[in-house]
Amino acid sequence: QVQLVESGGGLMQAGDSLKLSCAASGRTFSAYAMGWFRQAPGKEREFVSGISQSGGFTHYADSVKGRFTISRDNAKNTVYLQMNSLNPEDTAVYYCAAGRAVRPDVRPHEYDYWGQGTQVTVSS
């Protein structure tokens, strides 16, 4: 069992930067690929970024590529999402998720554990 708790969300202005954190409790955090997803009102949950168990492989949605950076610290059981050049289209609840696949998957159903989400709102 893995418990995930996101933090770092907030109300931002276009062009700002923000760093989200996701702290995991439970055993063997390093055994899980981690993903960040987001869900805006009235929209489906969408993949944002993912990172492999060791951190050696990362993947990004086209909409955030070049602006967001995912990283993880297995010693601290934490995964991060650095978000730069935020724009109003980034407004959503951001969720982290843990999955047993070697590499992160873009499909939400491939993840076993989810956090409660953290709200990110970007005003123009």
Side-chain angles (χ1 to χ4, degrees):
Q1 189 80 5
V2 176
Q3 293 81 42
L4 303 172
V5 179
E6 303 95 337
S7 61
L11 176 61
M12 313 302 292
Q13 292 189 334
D16 284 349
S17 296
L18 188 65
K19 188 172 185 177
L20 304 182
S21 299
C22 173
S25 60
R27 298 183 295 176
T28 62
F29 171 74
S30 60
Y32 292 88
M34 299 298 296
W36 284 98
F37 290 77
R38 66 187 181 186
Q39 189 166 18
K43 295 187 177 181
E44 294 187 352
R45 191 168 298 191
E46 65 172 357
F47 174 81
V48 175
S49 182
I51 189 167
S52 62
Q53 298 162 336
S54 67
F57 175 83
T58 58
H59 184 50
Y60 298 92
D62 288 343
S63 59
V64 306
K65 199 171 294 182
R67 299 189 298 122
F68 291 10
T69 302
I70 191 171
S71 60
R72 68 188 296 165
D73 185 338
N74 285 346
K76 295 183 178 180
N77 284 8
T78 304
V79 61
Y80 306 97
L81 186 68
Q82 176 68 47
M83 305 186 293
N84 298 330
S85 302
L86 286 164
N87 60 61
E89 290 70 39
D90 296 318
T91 295
V93 177
Y94 283 71
Y95 300 88
C96 69
R100 277 290 192 177
V102 174
R103 290 190 169 186
D105 201 291
V106 301
R107 298 168 294 180
H109 67 261
E110 291 296 320
Y111 292 80
D112 303 306
Y113 303 103
W114 291 83
Q116 83 290 347
T118 186
Q119 177 71 47
V120 174
T121 303
V122 184
S123 62
S124 57

PDB file of all heavy atoms in Angstrom, residues 37-41 90-95 116-120:
ATOM      1  N   PHE A  37      -0.826  13.813 -13.204  1.00  0.00           N
ATOM      2  CA  PHE A  37      -1.991  14.018 -14.046  1.00  0.00           C
ATOM      3  C   PHE A  37      -2.688  15.294 -13.601  1.00  0.00           C
ATOM      4  O   PHE A  37      -2.433  15.803 -12.514  1.00  0.00           O
ATOM      5  CB  PHE A  37      -2.967  12.837 -13.927  1.00  0.00           C
ATOM      6  CG  PHE A  37      -2.470  11.570 -14.539  1.00  0.00           C
ATOM      7  CD1 PHE A  37      -1.515  10.783 -13.896  1.00  0.00           C
ATOM      8  CD2 PHE A  37      -2.952  11.133 -15.765  1.00  0.00           C
ATOM      9  CE1 PHE A  37      -1.052   9.611 -14.463  1.00  0.00           C
ATOM     10  CE2 PHE A  37      -2.496   9.953 -16.339  1.00  0.00           C
ATOM     11  CZ  PHE A  37      -1.545   9.197 -15.684  1.00  0.00           C
ATOM     12  N   ARG A  38      -3.562  15.779 -14.447  1.00  0.00           N
ATOM     13  CA  ARG A  38      -4.364  16.941 -14.047  1.00  0.00           C
ATOM     14  C   ARG A  38      -5.768  16.816 -14.614  1.00  0.00           C
ATOM     15  O   ARG A  38      -5.995  16.143 -15.621  1.00  0.00           O
ATOM     16  CB  ARG A  38      -3.716  18.244 -14.517  1.00  0.00           C
ATOM     17  CG  ARG A  38      -3.657  18.443 -16.029  1.00  0.00           C
ATOM     18  CD  ARG A  38      -2.839  19.694 -16.368  1.00  0.00           C
ATOM     19  NE  ARG A  38      -2.786  19.930 -17.816  1.00  0.00           N
ATOM     20  CZ  ARG A  38      -2.039  20.878 -18.368  1.00  0.00           C
ATOM     21  NH1 ARG A  38      -1.264  21.672 -17.606  1.00  0.00           N
ATOM     22  NH2 ARG A  38      -2.030  21.030 -19.678  1.00  0.00           N
ATOM     23  N   GLN A  39      -6.677  17.474 -13.941  1.00  0.00           N
ATOM     24  CA  GLN A  39      -8.073  17.456 -14.374  1.00  0.00           C
ATOM     25  C   GLN A  39      -8.676  18.824 -14.191  1.00  0.00           C
ATOM     26  O   GLN A  39      -8.739  19.338 -13.064  1.00  0.00           O
ATOM     27  CB  GLN A  39      -8.874  16.406 -13.606  1.00  0.00           C
ATOM     28  CG  GLN A  39     -10.270  16.196 -14.153  1.00  0.00           C
ATOM     29  CD  GLN A  39     -10.907  14.932 -13.612  1.00  0.00           C
ATOM     30  OE1 GLN A  39     -10.482  14.383 -12.597  1.00  0.00           O
ATOM     31  NE2 GLN A  39     -11.952  14.457 -14.299  1.00  0.00           N
ATOM     32  N   ALA A  40      -9.080  19.415 -15.291  1.00  0.00           N
ATOM     33  CA  ALA A  40      -9.758  20.706 -15.265  1.00  0.00           C
ATOM     34  C   ALA A  40     -11.264  20.478 -15.195  1.00  0.00           C
ATOM     35  O   ALA A  40     -11.750  19.409 -15.579  1.00  0.00           O
ATOM     36  CB  ALA A  40      -9.399  21.506 -16.517  1.00  0.00           C
ATOM     37  N   PRO A  41     -12.015  21.447 -14.716  1.00  0.00           N
ATOM     38  CA  PRO A  41     -13.474  21.286 -14.617  1.00  0.00           C
ATOM     39  C   PRO A  41     -14.102  20.918 -15.946  1.00  0.00           C
ATOM     40  O   PRO A  41     -13.816  21.540 -16.967  1.00  0.00           O
ATOM     41  CB  PRO A  41     -13.939  22.671 -14.143  1.00  0.00           C
ATOM     42  CG  PRO A  41     -12.773  23.236 -13.430  1.00  0.00           C
ATOM     43  CD  PRO A  41     -11.566  22.737 -14.166  1.00  0.00           C
ATOM     44  N   ASP A  90      -3.207  25.810 -17.802  1.00  0.00           N
ATOM     45  CA  ASP A  90      -2.642  24.873 -16.833  1.00  0.00           C
ATOM     46  C   ASP A  90      -3.511  24.759 -15.578  1.00  0.00           C
ATOM     47  O   ASP A  90      -3.208  23.956 -14.694  1.00  0.00           O
ATOM     48  CB  ASP A  90      -1.228  25.311 -16.430  1.00  0.00           C
ATOM     49  CG  ASP A  90      -0.249  25.273 -17.591  1.00  0.00           C
ATOM     50  OD1 ASP A  90      -0.297  24.302 -18.378  1.00  0.00           O
ATOM     51  OD2 ASP A  90       0.563  26.215 -17.701  1.00  0.00           O
ATOM     52  N   THR A  91      -4.543  25.557 -15.495  1.00  0.00           N
ATOM     53  CA  THR A  91      -5.434  25.505 -14.335  1.00  0.00           C
ATOM     54  C   THR A  91      -6.130  24.155 -14.247  1.00  0.00           C
ATOM     55  O   THR A  91      -6.790  23.721 -15.197  1.00  0.00           O
ATOM     56  CB  THR A  91      -6.486  26.628 -14.431  1.00  0.00           C
ATOM     57  OG1 THR A  91      -5.821  27.897 -14.338  1.00  0.00           O
ATOM     58  CG2 THR A  91      -7.503  26.509 -13.310  1.00  0.00           C
ATOM     59  N   ALA A  92      -5.957  23.500 -13.109  1.00  0.00           N
ATOM     60  CA  ALA A  92      -6.527  22.164 -12.920  1.00  0.00           C
ATOM     61  C   ALA A  92      -6.190  21.688 -11.515  1.00  0.00           C
ATOM     62  O   ALA A  92      -5.383  22.307 -10.810  1.00  0.00           O
ATOM     63  CB  ALA A  92      -5.960  21.179 -13.933  1.00  0.00           C
ATOM     64  N   VAL A  93      -6.804  20.591 -11.143  1.00  0.00           N
ATOM     65  CA  VAL A  93      -6.353  19.849  -9.962  1.00  0.00           C
ATOM     66  C   VAL A  93      -5.271  18.883 -10.444  1.00  0.00           C
ATOM     67  O   VAL A  93      -5.487  18.145 -11.412  1.00  0.00           O
ATOM     68  CB  VAL A  93      -7.507  19.087  -9.295  1.00  0.00           C
ATOM     69  CG1 VAL A  93      -6.982  18.274  -8.120  1.00  0.00           C
ATOM     70  CG2 VAL A  93      -8.592  20.051  -8.842  1.00  0.00           C
ATOM     71  N   TYR A  94      -4.141  18.928  -9.778  1.00  0.00           N
ATOM     72  CA  TYR A  94      -3.010  18.090 -10.153  1.00  0.00           C
ATOM     73  C   TYR A  94      -2.906  16.908  -9.190  1.00  0.00           C
ATOM     74  O   TYR A  94      -2.933  17.090  -7.967  1.00  0.00           O
ATOM     75  CB  TYR A  94      -1.722  18.909 -10.139  1.00  0.00           C
ATOM     76  CG  TYR A  94      -1.588  19.791 -11.344  1.00  0.00           C
ATOM     77  CD1 TYR A  94      -2.398  20.911 -11.506  1.00  0.00           C
ATOM     78  CD2 TYR A  94      -0.682  19.498 -12.363  1.00  0.00           C
ATOM     79  CE1 TYR A  94      -2.301  21.717 -12.635  1.00  0.00           C
ATOM     80  CE2 TYR A  94      -0.570  20.299 -13.490  1.00  0.00           C
ATOM     81  CZ  TYR A  94      -1.383  21.397 -13.614  1.00  0.00           C
ATOM     82  OH  TYR A  94      -1.284  22.201 -14.744  1.00  0.00           O
ATOM     83  N   TYR A  95      -2.778  15.727  -9.766  1.00  0.00           N
ATOM     84  CA  TYR A  95      -2.688  14.498  -8.999  1.00  0.00           C
ATOM     85  C   TYR A  95      -1.377  13.781  -9.286  1.00  0.00           C
ATOM     86  O   TYR A  95      -0.924  13.752 -10.430  1.00  0.00           O
ATOM     87  CB  TYR A  95      -3.816  13.541  -9.376  1.00  0.00           C
ATOM     88  CG  TYR A  95      -5.212  14.053  -9.157  1.00  0.00           C
ATOM     89  CD1 TYR A  95      -5.873  14.783 -10.150  1.00  0.00           C
ATOM     90  CD2 TYR A  95      -5.879  13.809  -7.960  1.00  0.00           C
ATOM     91  CE1 TYR A  95      -7.161  15.243  -9.957  1.00  0.00           C
ATOM     92  CE2 TYR A  95      -7.174  14.266  -7.760  1.00  0.00           C
ATOM     93  CZ  TYR A  95      -7.804  14.988  -8.766  1.00  0.00           C
ATOM     94  OH  TYR A  95      -9.076  15.445  -8.556  1.00  0.00           O
ATOM     95  N   GLN A 116      -4.726  12.892  -3.320  1.00  0.00           N
ATOM     96  CA  GLN A 116      -6.018  13.580  -3.255  1.00  0.00           C
ATOM     97  C   GLN A 116      -6.080  14.791  -4.171  1.00  0.00           C
ATOM     98  O   GLN A 116      -7.151  15.337  -4.407  1.00  0.00           O
ATOM     99  CB  GLN A 116      -6.316  14.018  -1.810  1.00  0.00           C
ATOM    100  CG  GLN A 116      -5.664  15.332  -1.380  1.00  0.00           C
ATOM    101  CD  GLN A 116      -4.152  15.257  -1.227  1.00  0.00           C
ATOM    102  OE1 GLN A 116      -3.573  14.177  -1.210  1.00  0.00           O
ATOM    103  NE2 GLN A 116      -3.514  16.418  -1.115  1.00  0.00           N
ATOM    104  N   GLY A 117      -4.941  15.197  -4.678  1.00  0.00           N
ATOM    105  CA  GLY A 117      -4.885  16.303  -5.621  1.00  0.00           C
ATOM    106  C   GLY A 117      -4.584  17.640  -4.963  1.00  0.00           C
ATOM    107  O   GLY A 117      -4.864  17.849  -3.776  1.00  0.00           O
ATOM    108  N   THR A 118      -4.013  18.538  -5.730  1.00  0.00           N
ATOM    109  CA  THR A 118      -3.749  19.897  -5.277  1.00  0.00           C
ATOM    110  C   THR A 118      -4.149  20.858  -6.389  1.00  0.00           C
ATOM    111  O   THR A 118      -3.853  20.616  -7.561  1.00  0.00           O
ATOM    112  CB  THR A 118      -2.276  20.074  -4.864  1.00  0.00           C
ATOM    113  OG1 THR A 118      -2.086  21.375  -4.296  1.00  0.00           O
ATOM    114  CG2 THR A 118      -1.318  19.895  -6.028  1.00  0.00           C
ATOM    115  N   GLN A 119      -4.836  21.924  -6.013  1.00  0.00           N
ATOM    116  CA  GLN A 119      -5.381  22.852  -7.006  1.00  0.00           C
ATOM    117  C   GLN A 119      -4.314  23.847  -7.466  1.00  0.00           C
ATOM    118  O   GLN A 119      -3.626  24.466  -6.646  1.00  0.00           O
ATOM    119  CB  GLN A 119      -6.565  23.620  -6.411  1.00  0.00           C
ATOM    120  CG  GLN A 119      -7.164  24.679  -7.329  1.00  0.00           C
ATOM    121  CD  GLN A 119      -7.921  24.082  -8.490  1.00  0.00           C
ATOM    122  OE1 GLN A 119      -8.728  23.168  -8.323  1.00  0.00           O
ATOM    123  NE2 GLN A 119      -7.665  24.602  -9.707  1.00  0.00           N
ATOM    124  N   VAL A 120      -4.216  23.987  -8.763  1.00  0.00           N
ATOM    125  CA  VAL A 120      -3.375  25.020  -9.367  1.00  0.00           C
ATOM    126  C   VAL A 120      -4.280  25.899 -10.219  1.00  0.00           C
ATOM    127  O   VAL A 120      -4.973  25.406 -11.108  1.00  0.00           O
ATOM    128  CB  VAL A 120      -2.256  24.409 -10.235  1.00  0.00           C
ATOM    129  CG1 VAL A 120      -1.497  25.520 -10.965  1.00  0.00           C
ATOM    130  CG2 VAL A 120      -1.312  23.583  -9.378  1.00  0.00           C
TER     131      VAL A 120
END
